Amino acid sequence: MRRPSWVPEGTDLDKPNAARVYDYYLGGSHNFEVDREMARKAIALWPELPQIMRSNRAFLRRAVTFLAEQGVTRFLDIGSGIPTFGAVHEIARAIRPEAKVVYVDRDPVAVAHSRLLLEGDPDCAVVQADLRDVADLLARPEVAELLAAGEPVAVLLVAVAHFVSDEEDPWKLIGVIRDVLPPGSALVLSHASLEGRPDQAEDHQKLYKRTPTPLTMRTHEQITAMFSGFELVEPGVVYLPQWRPDQPGTVGEHPERMTGVAGVGFRP
């Protein structure tokens, strides 16, 4: 197939990729037929998946807006994926024009396209790094510079920790990040939950095992434990639509059908 200009050499176009599948769910154009095929299979098993992904994106928007309103101007978006509708810097700068964002992803396609879109923006940087190698991630000059000022930093782990296996210990990785954050910093996290739709969880995890990014869905208790050392803001760790909705009536009667849970916490 013809390689688009935003795809770096060496990218395997024959295997589905989680970042590109997510882009497809959101209605983006940076995906290939192999990604769309996987997405269609997933939607056949779980028709609400596109709605779940959009609910996750809406949580990101509300969380970044909330933090910008609290005065946060520095954002570290880990597992940022392919920038699509409502990127973090756009949301934050609507409130804080001086906002600085470092986007981090391990996927070369996501990184290459992010750099293309953000070229010439001095207050945005893009880093190819992996949460699972947290020491390397934190040592990158762009990340170190973001943290060096001693100002609060919002770390975004939106729909990314469930791609870290239990053996790789996401709780420990998040703890390493927490310990280097200046006081007043925040953790924004969303994660696929086992409780929301237990009837779908097993098949969905099997589907993702076919990709380079297998998925580990976890319990509400396990996900809440990722906020160790942070003080959760109201309403705590809840289903995606329940986290500070724009209008109470938008939550719906069955927020658990969005299956993901989310929360925001501040480091004292």
Side-chain angles (χ1 to χ4, degrees), residues 4 34 45 84 101 144 165 202 206-207 211 215-216 219:
V34 66
L45 291 170
T84 184
V101 182
S165 69
E202 184 176 356
K206 284 180 179 177
L207 188 65
T211 78
L215 181 74
T216 301
T219 66

Side-chain angles (χ1 to χ4, degrees), residues 33-229:
E33 179 54 33
V34 66
D35 307 306
R36 296 188 283 273
E37 180 184 359
M38 177 179 163
R40 287 191 289 265
K41 288 179 180 178
I43 293 168
L45 291 170
W46 198 338
E48 290 164 315
L49 276 177
Q51 187 180 354
I52 292 169
M53 302 305 175
R54 289 165 189 161
S55 182
N56 183 70
R57 195 71 181 182
F59 160 71
L60 170 69
R61 174 184 53 77
R62 297 195 305 273
V64 171
T65 298
F66 166 76
L67 291 171
E69 289 173 345
Q70 301 301 306
V72 176
T73 61
R74 292 172 177 258
F75 296 83
L76 177 60
D77 188 358
I78 302 175
S80 52
I82 298 172
T84 184
F85 314 108
V88 171
H89 66 284
E90 295 172 345
I91 301 166
R93 288 177 185 170
I95 298 162
R96 301 285 172 186
E98 71 276 26
K100 301 178 184 295
V101 182
V102 175
Y103 292 99
V104 179
D105 206 283
R106 67 179 182 177
D107 176 48
V109 170
V111 169
H113 193 54
S114 297
R115 286 176 175 158
L116 183 67
L117 286 180
L118 298 171
E119 188 176 7
D121 188 330
D123 290 325
C124 282
V126 184
V127 175
Q128 185 171 350
D130 194 328
L131 172 61
R132 297 171 300 179
D133 189 351
V134 70
D136 172 71
L137 190 161
L138 293 172
R140 298 300 181 94
E142 300 90 343
V143 177
E145 182 181 350
L146 191 74
L147 295 168
E151 298 177 17
V153 174
V155 175
L156 312 181
L157 291 173
V158 177
V160 65
H162 48 229
F163 293 119
V164 180
S165 69
D166 288 347
E167 292 72 24
E168 292 161 335
D169 200 343
W171 301 273
K172 181 179 179 180
L173 298 174
I174 294 170
V176 171
I177 295 172
R178 176 199 63 220
D179 291 346
V180 302
L181 292 177
S185 293
L187 172 65
V188 177
L189 183 141
S190 66
H191 196 295
S193 167
L194 283 169
E195 284 98 344
R197 291 293 303 276
D199 56 314
Q200 299 285 7
E202 184 176 356
D203 286 342
H204 195 57
Q205 290 179 103
K206 284 180 179 177
L207 188 65
Y208 267 83
K209 282 183 179 178
R210 295 168 44 197
T211 78
T213 49
L215 181 74
T216 301
M217 301 175 79
R218 295 187 170 98
T219 66
H220 186 277
E221 182 179 4
Q222 289 174 313
I223 298 165
T224 301
M226 294 179 181
F227 285 96
S228 175

